[in-house]
């Protein structure tokens, strides 16, 4: 059991000050993302920050096992928000994604749109999480069988369900509405994750074979800020880093 010290949510900064920091206009704040040099669960936050034109820093731990970080649960990613009043730290990727999506206008324009976009986000999110647990990092002697199950049953079923929603939305390259949302960006992020896996091309090809789903990816990638981010060396290094990590899960 690790003796590594972790930060609590009760800091020297008052709740009122923390609230003001998190409520600050993005133009008056700086953001810091701490996560490994891979895509996975920090990818969506990084894309959103680029989409929003935020001033932000991509920070990677050099020695995660031995260095101390201000993390409440001993895991990453962490998002630090800095203003002239100080800084506030958010933990857990879902919380970070939803916070940034709200900050940069990616949750629609009313309560119904927000909750619907969140529902798509959740469905996309747990496709990756369940595949990580039941396919990528399942018992080594079960991985090949799990890969076959996921590529012949689980992924095709998910694709079929979501094609219906995309068709109902007019096949316009968005899961909901007519502009880029958190759900669209998150979908691109999980495709990046699957592409980094061994035999990842076979998984991505399943999604590529769906014109409706692939159009979502292409629509997001056409956004100038996101396109520029994905051409950067920093982004390409995270892709390569992911391939190194997931090579250990060979199917």
């Amino acid at each position: 059991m690790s003796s590594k010290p972790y930060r609590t949510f009760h800091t020297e900064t008052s709740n009122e000050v923390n609230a003001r920091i998190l409520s600050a206009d993005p133009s008056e704040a700086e953001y810091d993302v701490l996560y490994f040099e891979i895509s996975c669960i920090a990818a969506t936050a990084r894309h959103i920050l680029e989409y929003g034109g935020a001033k932000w820093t991509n920070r990677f731990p050099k020695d995660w096992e031995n260095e101390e970080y201000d993390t409440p649960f001993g895991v990453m990613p962490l998002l630090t928000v800095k203003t002239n009043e100080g800084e506030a730290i958010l933990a857990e990727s879902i919380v970070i994604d939803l916070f940034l999506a709200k900050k940069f206008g990616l949750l629609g324009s009313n309560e119904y749109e927000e909750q619907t976009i969140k529902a798509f986000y959740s469905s996309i999110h747990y496709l990756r999480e369940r595949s990580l647990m039941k396919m990528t990092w399942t018992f080594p002697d079960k991985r090949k069988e799990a890969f076959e199950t996921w590529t012949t049953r689980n992924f095709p079923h998910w694709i079929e369900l979501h094609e219906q929603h995309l068709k109902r939305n007019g096949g316009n390259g968005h899961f909901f509405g007519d502009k880029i949302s958190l759900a669209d960006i998150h979908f691109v992020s999980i495709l990046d994750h699957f592409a980094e896996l061994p035999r990842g091309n076979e998984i991505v090809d399943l999604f590529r074979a769906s014109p409706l789903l692939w159009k979502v990816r292409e629509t997001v990638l056409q956004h100038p800020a996101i396109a520029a981010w994905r051409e950067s060396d920093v982004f390409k290094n995270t892709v390569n880093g992911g391939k190194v990590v997931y090579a250990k899960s060979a199917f």
Side-chain angles (χ1 to χ4, degrees):
M1 191 170 181
S2 175
S3 59
K4 190 175 179 179
Y6 300 127
R7 179 191 185 104
T8 67
F9 285 112
H10 302 286
T11 67
E12 295 79 6
T13 307
S14 70
N15 287 345
E16 291 76 15
V17 172
N18 282 330
R20 288 199 297 272
I21 292 171
L22 295 181
S23 299
D25 187 276
S27 64
E28 299 174 352
E30 296 182 16
Y31 304 88
D32 178 292
V33 176
L34 176 68
Y35 190 61
F36 297 114
E37 197 171 8
I38 62 175
S39 299
C40 202
I41 57 175
T44 296
R46 292 166 178 158
H47 276 87
I48 293 173
L49 288 165
E50 285 296 321
Y51 168 88
K55 186 175 182 180
W56 72 287
T57 303
N58 215 356
R59 193 157 55 100
F60 311 116
K62 295 181 180 179
D63 187 1
W64 172 247
E65 294 299 324
N66 298 306
E67 293 176 342
E68 294 183 12
Y69 294 95
D70 286 337
T71 169
F73 306 119
V75 295
M76 298 181 288
L78 293 178
L79 177 71
T80 302
V81 183
K82 305 174 184 179
T83 71
N84 57 9
E85 284 201 85
E87 62 181 47
I89 294 177
L90 294 179
E92 296 294 296
S93 65
I94 294 174
V95 172
I96 292 168
D97 290 351
L98 293 176
F99 169 78
L100 291 175
K102 184 175 182 179
K103 188 67 67 176
F104 293 101
L106 291 165
L107 291 177
S109 58
N110 59 49
E111 189 67 22
Y112 177 71
E113 291 182 2
E114 177 175 336
Q115 301 311 322
T116 304
I117 289 168
K118 286 179 179 177
F120 280 114
Y121 168 86
S122 180
S123 179
I124 294 163
H125 186 84
Y126 285 104
L127 178 68
R128 182 186 63 199
E129 297 308 295
R130 293 184 182 108
S131 71
L132 274 169
M133 293 184 289
K134 297 180 179 294
M135 181 186 72
T136 309
W137 296 124
T138 190
F139 298 106
D141 61 333
K142 299 292 185 182
R143 284 178 189 159
K144 185 174 181 180
E145 178 183 353
F147 180 86
E148 295 304 321
T149 298
W150 274 79
T151 53
T152 59
R153 292 172 49 190
N154 299 51
F155 288 128
H157 176 66
W158 191 96
I159 289 169
E160 181 181 3
L161 283 175
H162 289 74
E163 282 179 326
Q164 296 175 31
H165 294 288
L166 290 166
K167 188 177 296 183
R168 185 173 181 181
N169 196 45
N172 62 357
H174 304 290
F175 280 99
F176 187 79
D178 58 3
K179 62 181 180 179
I180 292 178
S181 74
L182 170 64
D184 302 335
I185 291 177
H186 202 47
F187 177 66
V188 169
S189 295
I190 71 153
L191 286 184
D192 289 344
H193 164 73
F194 291 140
E196 294 171 10
L197 301 180
R199 300 178 67 183
N201 60 310
E202 296 177 48
I203 299 173
V204 174
D205 282 347
L206 294 173
F207 293 89
R208 192 195 310 272
S210 166
L212 290 167
L213 280 165
W214 202 250
K215 188 174 181 178
V216 175
R217 179 183 183 275
E218 295 302 301
T219 300
V220 173
L221 267 53
Q222 286 172 10
H223 188 278
I226 290 178
W229 160 241
R230 295 174 67 88
E231 286 297 318
S232 70
D233 289 339
V234 177
F235 175 82
K236 291 176 181 178
N237 287 341
T238 63
V239 172
N240 292 332
K243 291 180 178 178
V244 171
V245 168
Y246 292 117
K248 302 172 186 176
S249 69
F251 302 115

